[in-house]
Amino acid sequence: FEQLLILGKDKAVMYHSEPGANHPNLDGYLDTVIADPAVITDLITDQSGTPFAMAVIPVESRRGLKGFAVYLQSLDAIVTELAERSGHAIGIVTTDNTLQIDTGLAGAERLFDSSDDGAISRAWTNAERRYQVSRQPLRNATGTLMGHLLVASDATEQLAQARQFELGAYAALA
């Protein structure tokens, strides 16, 4: 994870792995863990709108809750790693259809209407390549739409092969 925070039961920061770094407001999540000590995971944003994956873990002893461990990882790092491992272009689009995190999708956000929050797939041509772009909603734990995940798979060779099969079929029938 990018940031680790250790907080006391009073929510005071006892340790922060990245002193001076921005982190989201965690009060509501900490209150939830105080009321019911259990691990909470969610998608959240900091003050600048940067999306993070978050986990709040209660630190307990036999006498009860002692504090919290909070792990934060920016979605930028997660998306970049996923793109490198999968070979796909991946991005995060905000709810107002702005491409916030991009690994090669500039322009693809315009394929989708920002008012539609469902899963959609569309064809896209960029720099002589043809892609199949899928969009999935990203929601936090309460169901609030946080943005969309875009994944573009290069379909250039598949489409060229399909075209060759079609031409071969037409030639065979002629």
Side-chain angles (χ1 to χ4, degrees):
F1 278 82
E2 200 168 278
Q3 294 183 46
L4 167 65
L5 289 89
I6 305 293
L7 300 100
K9 187 175 179 177
D10 61 356
K11 303 179 191 174
V13 176
M14 299 167 62
Y15 172 80
H16 189 201
S17 64
E18 298 291 327
N22 284 339
H23 64 82
N25 182 341
L26 302 168
D27 284 342
Y29 295 102
L30 301 179
D31 291 339
T32 300
V33 172
I34 288 171
D36 179 20
V39 174
I40 295 176
T41 59
D42 205 352
L43 291 176
I44 57 175
T45 57
D46 68 7
Q47 298 85 345
S48 68
T50 302
F52 285 87
M54 174 212 58
V56 177
I57 301 165
V59 177
E60 298 179 283
S61 74
R62 284 183 255 170
R63 293 186 179 160
L65 184 68
K66 295 295 181 188
F68 315 90
V70 179
Y71 294 99
L72 297 167
Q73 177 71 49
S74 110
L75 287 190
D76 193 4
I78 295 169
V79 165
T80 301
E81 184 176 336
L82 285 173
E84 288 171 0
R85 287 183 181 196
S86 70
H88 299 299
I90 301 175
I92 301 287
V93 178
T94 61
T95 54
D96 66 356
N97 226 24
T98 303
L99 189 59
Q100 185 171 21
I101 300 172
D102 178 23
T103 65
L105 285 169
E109 73 279 10
R110 294 186 295 270
L111 294 172
F112 305 99
D113 180 356
S114 62
S115 65
D116 185 2
D117 66 355
I120 302 173
S121 185
R122 299 235 164 86
W124 177 51
T125 301
N126 185 25
E128 313 280 324
R129 306 293 294 173
R130 305 241 357 235
Y131 297 89
Q132 187 63 37
V133 182
S134 298
R135 183 182 82 169
Q136 294 288 329
L138 291 174
R139 298 183 185 282
N140 67 11
T142 63
T144 303
L145 183 66
M146 303 290 288
H148 293 91
L149 174 69
L150 296 182
V151 178
S153 303
D154 190 337
T156 307
E157 283 79 27
Q158 271 183 316
L159 293 170
Q161 244 180 2
R163 182 71 179 142
Q164 286 178 336
F165 287 134
E166 284 177 18
L167 293 174
Y170 287 132
L173 293 175

